């Protein structure tokens, strides 16, 4: 009950319920004879429940009307201009009552049968579900009228007229509101929407009964061509609901129209709406309210109704999705009724592509099994009719046809003649008047474009050109495409974003249809190209954006730019369609966009201006399709592919050339954004460059190819020059980086979006290392002087780094990691030249020897210095530099060891020896933590080529030193502090203990993957085994140390144990894979060594005290904790050994 109505209501629920039960206790039961007592009792109970719920619905709606009237009178008397809106409590109450009434009706009409695989038949005594609901409420209506007639007689004559008016208004409102709420709740309660995987509020009803109800509510009339025809056969679903509603609701007020449209929207989400119903509800009703701002509720409901129609016809839906929903299989589900409140006009267009949850393999198998069983049941009960899959395909086709009819009505396209209808109704204004492009309109247009445009293309599949009775398709297609283009040029970012999905879906559909008329294909291609160009232009940086390079980037703008890049890549994707001599839609789109970019760039170059930043941004985003085009061209040359790549190379070459000539004359704010994009494009285009470098090795097949090769050489040279100049002249960070707190860093960051390396350096490494063909082309177009220029660049960057000082990475030059990328480029190119000339004293060899002596000399200079932060820092930097040289060069240093390398490793060992119980790590050990990582990097680089005896001895010494320090720390107890076993030194924030053991595992994994070189691999495996056996007397006792789990320092034992058992697993695996290696290692007593490690796993398990019946397990256990990944590694090793068996 409602407290505000207890004393003044004109409708008393208890009296009305009593009268309803007295007059109509069996009105819903017809022919209820010849049934068993249990069935009879269930029917009576169901009838009483339905009547009680119907009374509750009616009374709630009646009270809501009274309360609304009292509220309005009160506000008028108080003359308050800033009143608060009344709480709409009745919405949720009526919705819940409607759901309960729907479930009760379902249980009465369909009873479970003994055969769980059978679909129950409806009870003969129960009418269809919609009729049951309407009959129950009509029974309440008649009883209420009788009750009010008797109540009126008890009032004086002069009051009867006023009371009769108030009662009549509230009574009419309550009846309409109750029936509308019931018909809205029925599909939401009983049916499942297709394609959604969210949890659905499935009623506690037998699934077979739900399936039967679903079939009933999906049934529509036959031969319905005229909705006003009295002879029309009405079904038991949406058409029946609409007929009931229109007999009650005039739709002349905002509330009445909103109730009609909200009910239609509820059905549209779950079933295919019949075409005649679409023509009436959309063409004659919903369209009228799209621009009725004086009726906001109806307007919001109209938009949401249209969106639901379009979303229900999503091209991503399959017959399986329809069957899953129709047969009640799986969780199915939807977001629930309450989540679509507020009319939905502020809700962004959501599609199954975005909302469908991914299923795991097991979940999908279970779902498919249930679905297959349900289909088999359904097919078995259809006597010679269409199969369930046929029915699902028909429903899906009907949904999409209904969406097209709704779109035609919405955009004013006449289906019979394909002409635009007169008038300004619907969304026709949106195609010509930007002021009407509201979020509600654009959301509806986006939903229409996503579902209707692909279906219109599909309908063209079996039709020839020029059929006049199908001209409406082209007109509708063109109209929607026009509105989408207008959305893409909107000044509002949120409206532009609504066009992303329709464009990508349209492109996918355009490439998947077998046939489409040339005219419609041209309209589609034009629309995609123009929309992409508009989006690229609209997301440019505003004027003066780079005047303050130290400020953080505009994240919303950067996100939009990334989204536009994704759209451009998607609509130009060559993953489908023909790429060869025939022009597929993707090729047409890519060709046109590339031509537009090149035209804009060439025009700016001719006029002496910088290329438009938005054009270079769009060009750089097309790397993926261009790279695929290059790969296809290498396999199967084509003129169209040659033309597109030549044009793209011309555009990029012009941009790079213009920038190369402008570094000295332009400010940083002018050149940084363009240079960043040009470097990103050069790096991204490197796979295409590699393909063209391979093509240029063969004689040109045509004049077009000769021109392409010529342009390629010029563009490659310009790109290399630009990468060198940008790396030298543009700092990686103009101001201190904010990536730790922001997503896109400061504006003055010469990095990709959210990246951490100078894009010029990235371009150099991509262009030099993509393939040997491209490396050779680099030398051909640039000459061997590139090594000298790179060396000069590296030295300049090193000087800038020293001038900045330790800890400062901004202002000038690049970060150390970007500088070392240049070192990697030099090393690769120099080795390539040395191999090509077979001359160790070549220009590359000389430069490489000079560069490698720099870090070695730095190490040598620190030999006599005491253990300090400065010494450790310098050794760290020199070690990191050394690790970026090629593996062959570093391995050669280990094959011919000098004292210089030993200085670095001795310093690491010294750090372990300085273990102390203090919990604070000073600056020395912060730098020593970096040195551990640097030493690891050097060793890892070496092991990529070979593990020499010297390298093996170094690794062994480092593991021993670490295990000795860990043993000392464990001897001091779990509560002891540590200056090195902490998160900031040897821990999660830096490098865990056991990292040097992992090096052996990585070496074994490399050997296991390489083919050939049997003798070399056997020798390397023996060295790895030798290291493991040498350190095992320290590692195994440490893992079994009785000290409990550490509390005041980072326990090194778990990570050491994990590294050990993972390495042992790799050793077992390589022996399983290579018998010759296994035979060789058996001679080194590997079996007994494996047995010792297996015994450690057993000892670790029995180290824990599990307690007994008399006493529980102790709170503090011996040894390290077994809760962690090291236990999984231990179990994996044990399993691998058991599978391998004895040798």
């Amino acid at each position: 009950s409602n407290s505000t109505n207890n004393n003044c209501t004109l409708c008393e629920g208890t009296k009305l319920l009593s009268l309803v039960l007295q007059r109509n206790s069996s009105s819903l039961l017809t022919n209820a004879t010849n049934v068993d007592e249990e069935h009879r009792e269930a029917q009576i109970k169901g009838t009483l429940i339905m009547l009680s719920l119907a009374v509750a619905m009616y009374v709630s709606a009646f009270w809501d009307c009274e309360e609304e009237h009292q509220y309005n009178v009160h506000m008028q008397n108080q003359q308050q201009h800033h009143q608060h809106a009344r709480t709409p409590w009745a919405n949720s109450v009526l919705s819940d009552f409607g759901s309960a009434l729907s479930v009760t009706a379902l249980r009465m009409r369909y009873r479970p049968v003994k055969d769980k695989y059978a679909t129950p038949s409806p009870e003969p005594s129960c009418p269809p579900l919609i009729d049951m609901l309407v009959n129950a409420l009509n029974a309440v209506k008649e009883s209420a009228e009788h009750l009010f007639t008797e109540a009126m007689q008890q009032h004086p004559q002069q009051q009867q007229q006023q009371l009769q008016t108030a009662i009549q208004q509230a009574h009419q409102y309550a009846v309409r509101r109750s029936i509308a709420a019931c018909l809205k709740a029925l599909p939401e309660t009983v049916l499942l929407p297709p394609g959604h995987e969210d949890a659905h509020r499935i009623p506690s009803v037998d699934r077979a009964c739900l399936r039967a109800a679903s079939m009933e509510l999906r049934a529509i009339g036959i031969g319905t061509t005229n909705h006003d025809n009295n002879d029309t056969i009405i079904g038991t679903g949406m058409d029946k609901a609409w007929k009931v509603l229109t007999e009650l609701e005039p739709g002349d007020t905002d509330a009445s129209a909103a109730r009609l449209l909200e009910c239609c929207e509820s059905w549209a989400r779950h079933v295919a709406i019949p075409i005649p119903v679409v023509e009436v509800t959309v063409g004659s009703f919903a369209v009228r309210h799209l621009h009725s701002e004086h009726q906001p509720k109806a307007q919001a409901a109209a938009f949401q109704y249209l969106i639901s129609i379009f979303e229900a016809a999503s091209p991503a839906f399959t017959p399986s999705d329809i069957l899953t929903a129709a047969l009640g299989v799986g969780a199915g589900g939807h977001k629930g009724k309450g989540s679509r409140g507020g009319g939905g006009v502020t809700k962004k267009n959501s599609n199954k592509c975005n909302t469908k949850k991914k299923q795991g393999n097991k979940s999908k198998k279970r779902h498919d099994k249930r679905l297959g069983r349900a289909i088999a049941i359904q097919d078995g009960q259809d006597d010679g009719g269409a199969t369930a899959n046929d029915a699902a395909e028909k429903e899906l086709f009907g949904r999409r046809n209904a969406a097209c009819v709704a779109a035609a009505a919405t955009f004013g396209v006449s289906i019979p003649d394909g002409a635009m209808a007169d008038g300004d109704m619907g969304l026709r204004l949106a195609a010509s008047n930007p002021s009407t492009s509201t979020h509600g309109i654009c959301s509806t247009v986006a939903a229409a474009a996503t579902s209707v445009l692909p279906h219109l293309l599909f309908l063209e599949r079996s039709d020839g050109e020029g059929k006049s009775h199908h001209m409406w398709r082209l007109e509708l297609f063109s109209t929607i495409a026009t509105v989408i283009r207008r959305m893409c040029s909107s000044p509002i970012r949120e409206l532009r974003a609504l066009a992303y999905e329709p464009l990508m879906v349209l492109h996918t559909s355009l490439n998947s249809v077998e046939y489409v008329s040339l005219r419609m294909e041209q309209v589609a291609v034009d629309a995609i190209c123009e929309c992409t160009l508009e989006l690229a232009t609209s997301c440019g940086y505003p004027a003066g954006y780079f005047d303050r390079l130290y400020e953080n980037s505009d994240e919303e703008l950067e996100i939009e730019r990334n989204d536009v890049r994704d759209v451009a890549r998607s609509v130009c994707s060559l993953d489908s369609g023909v790429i060869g001599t025939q022009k597929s839609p993707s090729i047409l789109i890519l060709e046109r966009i590339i031509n537009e970019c090149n035209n804009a760039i060439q025009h700016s170059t001719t006029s002496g201006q910088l290329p438009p930043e938005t054009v270079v941004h769009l060009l750089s985003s097309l790397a993926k399709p261009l790279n695929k085009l290059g790969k296809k061209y290498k396999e199967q040359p084509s003129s169209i592919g040659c033309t597109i790549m030549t044009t793209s190379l011309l555009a990029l070459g012009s941009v790079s050339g213009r920038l190369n000539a402008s570094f000295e004359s332009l400010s940083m704010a002018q050149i940084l954004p363009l240079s960043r994009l040009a470097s990103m494009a050069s790096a991204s285009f490197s796979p295409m460059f590699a393909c063209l470098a391979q093509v240029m090795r063969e004689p040109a097949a045509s004049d077009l190819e000769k021109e392409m090769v010529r342009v390629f050489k010029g563009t490659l040279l310009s790109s290399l020059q630009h990468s060198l100049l940008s790396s030298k002249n543009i700092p990686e960070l103009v101001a201190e980086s904010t990536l730790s707190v922001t997503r896109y860093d400061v504006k003055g960051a010469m990095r990709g979006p959210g990246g951490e390396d100078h894009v010029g350096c990235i371009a150099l490494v991509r262009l030099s290392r993509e393939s040997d063909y491209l490396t050779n082309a680099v030398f051909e177009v640039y000459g061997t002087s590139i090594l000298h220029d790179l060396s000069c660049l590296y030295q300049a960057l090193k000087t800038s780094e020293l001038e900045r000082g330790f800890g400062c990475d901004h202002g000038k030059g690049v970060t150390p990691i970007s500088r070392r990328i240049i070192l990697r480029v030099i090393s690769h190119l120099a080795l390539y030249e040395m191999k090509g000339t077979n001359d160790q004293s070549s220009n590359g060899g000389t430069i490489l020897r000079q560069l490698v002596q720099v870090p070695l000399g730095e190490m040598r200079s620190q030999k006599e210095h005491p253990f300090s932060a400065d010494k450790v820092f310098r050794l760290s930097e020199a070690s990191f530099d050394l690790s970026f040289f090629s593996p062959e060069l570093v391995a050669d240093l280990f094959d011919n060891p000098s004292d210089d390398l030993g200085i670095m490793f001795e310093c690491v060992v010294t750090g372990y020896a300085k273990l102390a119980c203090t919990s604070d790590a000073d600056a020395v050990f912060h730098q020593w933590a970096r040195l551990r990582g640097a030493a690891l990097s050097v060793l890892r680089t070496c092991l990529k080529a070979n593990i020499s005896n010297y390298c093996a001895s170094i690794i062994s010494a480092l593991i021993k030193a670490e295990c000795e320090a860990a043993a000392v720390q464990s001897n001091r107890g779990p509560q002891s502090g540590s200056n090195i076993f902490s998160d900031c030194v040897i821990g999660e924030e830096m490098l865990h203990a056991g990292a040097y053991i992992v090096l052996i595992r990585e070496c074994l994994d490399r050997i296991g993957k390489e083919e050939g070189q049997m003798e070399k691999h056997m020798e390397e495996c023996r060295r790895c085994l030798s290291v493991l056996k040498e350190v095992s007397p320290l590692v195994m006792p440490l893992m079994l140390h009785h000290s409990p789990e550490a509390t005041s320092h980072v326990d090194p034992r778990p990570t050491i144990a994990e590294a050990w058992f993972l390495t042992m697993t790799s050793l077992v695996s390589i022996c399983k894979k290579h018998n010759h290696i296994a035979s060789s290692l058996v001679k080194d007593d590997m079996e007994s060594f494996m047995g010792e490690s297996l015994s450690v796993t057993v000892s670790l398990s029995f180290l824990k005290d599990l307690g007994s019946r008399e006493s529980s397990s102790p709170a503090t256990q011996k040894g390290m904790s077994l809760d962690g990944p090291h236990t999984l590694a231990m179990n994996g090793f044990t399993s691998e050994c058991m599978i391998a068996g004895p040798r």
Side-chain angles (χ1 to χ4, degrees), residues 336-404:
K337 297 175 287 184
S339 66
R340 300 176 77 93
V345 293
T346 59
K347 167 183 170 287
K348 289 189 177 181
N349 180 30
S350 62
N351 190 277
K352 179 199 173 201
C353 298
N354 295 330
T355 61
K356 191 167 184 179
K357 188 177 179 181
K358 293 183 179 179
Q359 287 183 312
N361 290 333
K362 292 184 179 179
S363 175
K364 187 176 186 304
K365 288 180 180 178
R366 289 194 299 267
H367 172 271
D368 291 343
K369 184 177 180 180
R370 290 195 300 267
L371 180 59
R373 185 166 57 240
I375 293 174
I377 295 169
Q378 191 66 26
D379 290 345
Q381 294 179 351
D382 291 336
D383 298 329
T387 64
N389 195 70
D390 292 338
E393 290 181 352
K394 183 178 179 181
E395 177 177 333
L396 187 57
F397 192 74
R399 286 169 177 261
R400 291 168 180 169
N401 284 339
C404 289

Side-chain angles (χ1 to χ4, degrees), residues 724 761 764-765 768-769 775 779 784-797 818-834 843-852 884-886 889:
L724 286 164
C761 300
L764 286 171
V765 75
S768 64
R769 295 171 62 93
T775 304
F779 279 111
T784 57
S785 61
I786 190 172
L787 289 170
H788 177 268
D789 293 346
L790 285 168
S791 179
C792 293
L793 171 63
Y794 176 79
Q795 293 172 11
L797 295 178
S818 295
R819 171 180 59 79
R820 293 178 182 122
I821 288 175
I822 301 296
L823 194 60
R824 182 167 289 166
V825 173
I826 297 172
S827 180
H828 175 76
L829 291 177
L831 282 177
Y832 184 87
E833 187 208 29
M834 291 165 60
N843 182 40
T846 302
I847 292 176
L848 207 54
R849 284 191 295 272
Q850 291 174 350
L851 289 175
V852 80
F884 272 74
F885 284 93
S886 65
L889 179 60

Side-chain angles (χ1 to χ4, degrees), residues 6 26 99 102 384 416 426 432 592 673 747 806 881 978 1055 1080 1110:
N6 285 342
S26 60
S99 297
S102 300
S432 58
R592 179 166 171 183
K747 296 176 182 178
F806 169 69
D881 289 350
S978 179
T1055 53
S1080 174
E1110 290 76 19

Side-chain angles (χ1 to χ4, degrees), residues 835-846:
K835 291 177 182 178
T837 60
N838 199 20
D839 183 7
Q840 298 294 322
S841 61
S842 63
N843 182 40
T846 302

Side-chain angles (χ1 to χ4, degrees), residues 9 94 120 167 250-251 374 379 417 491 515 523 592 620 756 787 817 826 909 931 978 984 1068 1100 1129:
T9 181
L94 292 176
I167 289 175
D379 290 345
D417 54 15
Y515 169 83
V523 172
R592 179 166 171 183
S620 68
E756 298 185 13
L787 289 170
I817 185 68
I826 297 172
V909 173
L931 181 60
S978 179
C984 60
V1068 176
L1100 281 172

Side-chain angles (χ1 to χ4, degrees), residues 454-604:
H455 191 56
L456 291 175
L457 291 174
F458 173 81
L459 292 175
E460 291 286 301
R461 188 175 61 175
S462 57
D463 297 334
E465 295 186 62
K467 292 190 177 183
S468 58
H469 61 287
H470 291 156
M471 287 301 294
W472 68 273
R473 298 177 187 167
L474 179 60
E475 187 61 44
L476 179 58
F477 195 100
S478 302
T479 302
I480 297 176
T482 301
V483 185
I484 290 292
R485 284 199 295 268
R486 182 165 295 283
M487 288 169 54
C488 292
S489 60
S490 170
I492 303 174
R493 180 177 295 155
E494 289 75 13
L495 299 187
R496 296 196 298 270
L498 292 172
Y500 297 163
E501 185 180 0
L503 289 175
M504 292 187 284
V505 171
L506 175 59
H507 169 263
T508 302
S509 302
L510 191 61
N511 279 279
S512 61
V513 293
E514 298 175 2
Y515 169 83
V516 63
S517 66
L518 293 177
R519 177 60 183 151
M520 186 172 285
E521 181 184 67
Q522 188 62 47
V523 172
V525 170
D526 289 346
I528 291 174
C529 292
E530 292 173 17
C531 288
T532 304
L533 293 170
E534 287 288 351
L535 289 173
T537 302
S538 300
C539 69
Y541 292 114
Y545 181 82
F546 289 97
D547 290 345
R548 293 177 294 276
L549 294 171
Y550 55 85
E551 292 182 348
N552 288 334
S553 298
D554 183 344
E555 292 202 2
E556 292 298 324
L557 177 58
E558 294 295 344
I559 290 172
E560 182 187 12
R561 287 170 66 86
N562 282 347
D563 290 341
V564 171
R565 291 175 70 90
D566 289 339
V567 172
R569 275 192 294 265
S570 296
V571 300
C572 295
S573 171
L574 303 182
D575 293 335
S576 62
V578 181
I579 304 179
T581 56
Q582 182 181 354
K583 289 189 176 183
S584 69
S586 292
I587 283 287
L588 292 172
I589 295 168
L590 179 61
E591 181 182 31
R592 179 166 171 183
I593 293 179
I594 289 291
N595 285 336
E596 292 291 339
C597 291
N598 183 54
N599 292 339
I601 290 170
Q602 300 304 332
H603 179 268
S604 64

Side-chain angles (χ1 to χ4, degrees), residues 323-345:
L323 285 170
T324 299
L327 301 180
V329 178
H334 66 323
K335 294 183 179 180
K337 297 175 287 184
S339 66
R340 300 176 77 93
V345 293

